[in-house]
Amino acid sequence: MFPLSSQKKYWMFSDENDLTALREKTNAEFIEKHGADMTPEQREEYFLSDAEERTLLRFYELQLRDFCRRFTPPMPRATVATALHYFKRFYLRNSVMDYHPKEILVTCVYLACKVEEFNVSISQFVANIKGDREKASDIILNNELLLMQQLNYNLTVHNPFRPVEGLMIDIKTRYTSLENPEKLRPHIDEFLERVFLTDSVLLYPPSQVALAATLHAASRAAANLDNYVTDTLFSRDHLAGIIEAVRKIRSMAKGVEPPSREVVRALEKKLDKCRNQENNPDSEIYKQRMQEMLDEEDLRDNEKYAKIIQDQAAHDEKILGVSKVLSPATSYTQGISIFVT
Amino acid sequence: MEEQACPRCKTTKYRNPSLKLMVNVCGHTLCESCVDLLFLKGSGACPECQIPLRRTNFRVQMFEDAMVEKEVDIRKRILRDFNKKEEDFDTLREYNDYIEDIETIIYNLANNIDVMETNRKIEQYKKDNREQIMKNKSKLGRKEYELEELLELERQQDEERKQELIRQELENKKKKIREKEALIDELMFSEGNAKNIVETFASAIQASREEEKYTPVTKATQFSTGIKFGKQTNQGFLPIPKAEEGPSYSYTPIRQQIEGPSPPGWRELQTRGYVSHVRAETQSDRAGGFRANIACLRALQEAMASLYHNPSQRSLEPMSI
């Protein structure tokens, strides 16, 4: 149930300003860390601003959706929604410049496939990706644990699809004056599609999103659900808050528009320059670091082995009272000398 | 000696030798026929003090003085709750005070002194010591059980003795017959003096009788498992260590937080026709334990959950990763 979920506890924010503040903070921290020796003008020139990050993310959210649409075997929409949810959550506390969105994007989808029980193997999965498949699967598997950690392992996502079904059942049962409620469905689906490109899933519970979708669909299909909402579903004292929420969700969904290609291209160019090279699998630093890590592991193993040998020697010495296994004769004389002294 | 008489119908023992006086908790007597008459319905008021009484609580009067009856009655009732033992107290002094308290309570109730106050005291005690009372009651039960075991043992021994007697009698009979037959055989076929033969047989029988005179029956004092009957049980074992018992588990039903309009319950799903709007389960679905109303209820619950959620009312807990 949603009211007790980790989604509500950790991933619901009170309003858009909260989200903006969080993103600004993430952006500022990255710049602070990597641009310590630059003047403010240079920083502005070199790094992406948080607004620019936002634009890029919006673009990649669309990319994610398109990737999922083209996916074979066809992907259920709950999986897509969950993946988008992960994507949004990840970039609240991580900068675009730190982890490139195109890498996180596929990882999100891969993880969502697992969580939503849409079973595809990694080879089946990378078959949907253009380009070097081996490298892609490396990237996904490397990033998967990072992604889960950044999500604080809160992997269950409550999507508005089931609440929509619930509302439909309720309407069919308790509001029989509406003819053919099924005609709302195409509008609802279309609305939900757009909702997932906004931040409303981080601000409103899935049931409210579902209600907004249904009401939106009703207004599109020239059906009247007002009496259902005011008389059947709610008592009057709760009405104001919900109407406000529904209005906000609808206005947010209305404002979705894809960023223009030129802007995105320019931003990507900028990103290629300023991104954190340590997390870029193509960069020298990354390769070097990986190699170091491998070496370190070997080194550590060697050290461990040496330590074990040493320990064993010490242990033998303690038990036998001799530092080395000597020949019987010498140990005998040694024994005598001890005896004599 | 004063003649026993029913206070209501004035019948005396002299006039009706089969007169049976009954007494109830209030300590006033009534004869059996009056009880039958007055308590036809099972309950009624005492004709003397108007206290409501139950017919089932009437007992045959055992002591001449009805007050003693009443006192015994009260004592029984009080001791059921005030059932602490000496080992429940730290010092002898405390135990004595406790006994004194009990006696005071009984005396007060029997003589109608401060009845209200005393009753309140009893209630208070019951409330304070509920657990202890229960525990001691069960302990009492254990004692009774042991007693029963002892009785059972005795009964068993009795049975065994009886069996043994029967067996012996049978054997004796057989033996006699055998001896007689042997004697006749001997008389028929032997060449010796008949008188001598009879004499030797008679002395042999005498001897064998004396010999078997009494072989005591070994009593079964233990079960086949080697555990002794009755009280000796705890001799062979260490006493079970006393474990401190925590408060016992009590089930509280799960309350789901909804934060929205309350969804229908299981019953309403059927009666109000919610289920008819979802796909009915197929036979194979049902084999897996799936019913249409489960999916239906879940959808409805999720549709209602957190509908009243108001983002501006809550403050965000900072999350650390």
Side-chain angles (χ1 to χ4, degrees), chain A residues 4 8 12 14 173 207-208, chain B residues 257 259 272 305 307 309 314:
Chain A
L4 297 174
K8 169 152 186 207
M12 292 279 287
S14 21
T173 313
S207 53
Q208 288 182 355
Chain B
Q257 266 179 292
E259 292 187 336
R272 299 178 62 179
L307 264 182
H309 178 83
R314 64 189 285 280

Side-chain angles (χ1 to χ4, degrees), chain A residues 153-314:
Chain A
Y153 303 99
N154 302 138
L155 299 184
T156 306
V157 171
H158 291 260
N159 283 317
F161 303 116
R162 199 188 301 277
V164 164
E165 296 305 319
L167 279 176
M168 292 296 271
I169 295 170
D170 201 39
I171 289 169
K172 284 175 194 169
T173 313
R174 291 202 292 178
Y175 194 66
T176 39
S177 58
L178 180 69
E179 284 168 38
N180 190 16
E182 287 297 326
K183 72 184 172 192
L184 300 180
R185 266 194 205 279
H187 299 292
I188 292 177
D189 292 345
E190 183 251 352
F191 182 81
L192 286 181
E193 192 105 300
R194 265 189 294 129
V195 160
F196 271 101
L197 302 175
T198 70
D199 284 334
S200 36
V201 286
L202 295 174
L203 299 173
Y204 299 99
S207 53
Q208 288 182 355
V209 175
L211 186 65
T214 315
L215 293 180
H216 174 84
S219 75
R220 277 298 182 79
N224 190 359
L225 277 177
D226 292 352
N227 283 337
Y228 167 71
V229 175
T230 54
D231 298 341
T232 317
L233 198 55
F234 299 118
S235 53
R236 298 244 166 215
D237 36 333
H238 290 290
L239 210 54
I242 290 158
I243 287 176
E244 175 64 20
V246 168
R247 205 182 52 75
K248 276 294 275 296
I249 295 169
R250 284 182 68 177
S251 75
M252 279 167 87
K254 204 185 255 174
V256 174
E257 48 187 66
S260 71
R261 285 227 152 255
E262 292 82 66
V263 177
V264 171
R265 206 164 294 151
L267 288 177
E268 278 196 321
K269 223 171 249 170
K270 198 172 171 187
L271 176 63
D272 275 339
K273 255 184 251 155
C274 71
R275 68 183 291 198
N276 186 354
Q277 294 303 329
E278 282 178 26
N279 294 326
N280 181 4
D282 297 325
S283 72
E284 283 307 313
I285 299 176
Y286 182 85
K287 282 172 190 160
Q288 206 179 327
R289 207 170 52 125
M290 274 303 180
Q291 193 55 47
E292 265 171 25
M293 259 160 71
L294 282 177
D295 289 349
E296 215 170 273
E297 225 160 79
D298 284 348
L299 213 65
R300 247 204 317 255
D301 281 353
N302 282 339
E303 266 172 27
K304 237 187 252 167
Y305 188 63
K307 179 118 201 317
I308 287 170
I309 288 178
Q310 224 169 22
D311 280 355
Q312 213 155 24

Side-chain angles (χ1 to χ4, degrees), chain A residues 1-4 8-14 93 149-150 152 162-163 166-167 169-170 172-174 203-205 207-208 233-234 238 242, chain B residues 256-259 261 272-274 277-278 295-296 298-312 314 316-317 319-321:
Chain A
M1 294 292 286
F2 178 76
L4 297 174
K8 169 152 186 207
K9 205 166 169 196
Y10 300 117
W11 298 101
M12 292 279 287
F13 299 85
S14 21
R93 294 190 172 85
Q149 190 198 21
Q150 292 301 314
N152 200 23
R162 199 188 301 277
L167 279 176
I169 295 170
D170 201 39
K172 284 175 194 169
T173 313
R174 291 202 292 178
L203 299 173
Y204 299 99
S207 53
Q208 288 182 355
L233 198 55
F234 299 118
H238 290 290
I242 290 158
Chain B
Q256 269 175 339
Q257 266 179 292
I258 295 291
E259 292 187 336
R272 299 178 62 179
Y274 284 102
H277 297 298
V278 293
C296 183
R298 184 170 172 201
L300 283 165
Q301 280 179 342
E302 293 212 357
M304 308 293 179
S306 285
L307 264 182
Y308 295 160
H309 178 83
N310 196 343
S312 56
R314 64 189 285 280
L316 178 76
E317 302 104 295
M319 182 188 71
S320 52
I321 293 178

